[in-house]
Amino acid sequence: MSHTAHIRSHRKPRRSATTSIAVRAGVAGGVLSMAAAGASASASAAESTTQTIELPALTADMAAQVAESADATQQAAANYQLQAERDAAAAKAAKQAKADLAEAKKKAEAKEKAEAARKAAAEEAASRSAERTTLTSTSTTASAPASGSVATVIAFLNAQVGDAYVMGGTGPNAWDCSGLVQAAFKQVGVDLPRVSGDQSTAGTPVSLSNLQVGDILYWGSAGSAYHVGVYIGDGQYLDAANPSKGVVIQDLSGYPATGAVRVL
């Protein structure tokens, strides 16, 4: 027997393989658990970080959309207001154009009337001048009076054509209607009343369809006539007409008399 057989060994006893494997497995498991926990924490942290980053971006998009919608609404309102202003301006312009057209038409009509009045006045002046120029021929074409007294009356009247009309005038160069008639018949000794109303009843009434040269014509009612003249034949009469015409020869068709009286 060896002299060392009963001496204990000073070496530590070996752990069994099973125990060593278990310890190592535990250590490894702990390390893996810690690694998994760390990975999980890292993932959670990453996810949290991602969410924290995405939320502000989403909010900014919404704000941009809201701002864009507000701008569009404001622009639409401005467009509506602009269109309303344009419509109002167009309506006002149309109304003004209509008023201007009516005013222009009114002025044109007034101008036409003034021109027509001017032409009428010019024609009347020309006609009056022609009457004076043809006085001699006109008087000779009148129906020949049956009495010398009537011829004297007509000759006197013809000599006054062209004289002025003056209210209350009795000659020798200005007359009113009754003053001329009174002076004409005074040439043959017939004394007539001074005014038209009295002269319209001074002689024998005759119908207008049976007139003779020298008959006195009157306008208005018998006894209150407002105008008188003397018939000279061929549908014409001679009178002191008015301030614009003076003493003239006129056609009965243009100014029909009311009645007539005969004094010769």
Side-chain angles (χ1 to χ4, degrees):
M1 174 177 289
S2 171
H3 63 279
T4 60
H6 295 285
I7 300 172
R8 290 187 178 187
S9 175
H10 293 284
R11 297 178 179 178
K12 292 180 181 182
R14 290 186 174 181
R15 293 177 181 177
S16 65
T18 303
T19 302
S20 178
I21 292 171
V23 170
R24 292 176 180 176
V27 172
V31 172
L32 290 174
S33 296
M34 291 177 64
S40 176
S42 298
S44 298
E47 183 177 358
S48 175
T49 301
T50 301
Q51 291 176 352
T52 302
I53 292 172
E54 289 177 355
L55 282 175
L58 184 61
T59 303
D61 290 342
M62 291 179 65
Q65 291 177 1
V66 170
E68 183 178 354
S69 177
D71 290 342
T73 301
Q74 185 176 4
Q75 184 61 41
N79 291 339
Y80 288 144
Q81 183 177 359
L82 179 60
Q83 186 62 43
E85 292 175 352
R86 288 177 177 174
D87 293 343
K92 183 177 180 180
K95 184 177 180 180
Q96 185 62 42
K98 186 177 180 180
D100 292 342
L101 180 61
E103 183 65 19
K105 185 177 180 181
K106 184 178 180 180
K107 289 181 178 179
E109 291 177 350
K111 186 176 181 181
E112 289 179 359
K113 290 181 179 179
E115 182 64 18
R118 186 191 66 78
K119 289 182 178 180
E123 291 175 356
E124 183 177 350
S127 176
R128 190 160 58 245
S129 177
E131 287 177 353
R132 291 175 180 176
T133 302
T134 60
L135 173 61
T136 302
S137 61
T138 301
S139 61
T140 56
T141 57
S143 300
S147 166
S149 296
V150 173
T152 301
V153 171
I154 300 302
F156 177 84
L157 292 172
N158 282 331
Q160 314 313 313
V161 172
D163 283 356
Y165 176 98
V166 176
M167 180 67 72
T170 57
N173 299 311
W175 314 86
D176 65 9
C177 63
S178 57
L180 178 61
V181 172
Q182 182 187 48
F185 282 89
K186 190 174 183 179
Q187 304 303 310
V188 294
V190 176
D191 190 12
L192 292 176
R194 173 64 183 86
V195 297
S196 302
D198 293 337
Q199 289 179 3
S200 66
T201 59
T204 303
V206 295
S207 67
L208 296 176
S209 61
N210 192 31
L211 290 175
Q212 292 182 7
V213 175
D215 288 346
I216 298 175
L217 302 172
Y218 65 86
W219 285 259
S221 302
S224 59
Y226 58 85
H227 187 68
V228 290
V230 177
Y231 184 68
I232 61 173
D234 292 336
Q236 295 181 316
Y237 66 96
L238 192 153
D239 67 336
N242 53 51
S244 64
K245 289 184 177 182
V247 179
V248 292
I249 294 173
Q250 305 190 78
D251 290 331
L252 270 173
S253 59
Y255 189 31
T258 304
V261 291
R262 187 171 298 159
V263 295
L264 292 176

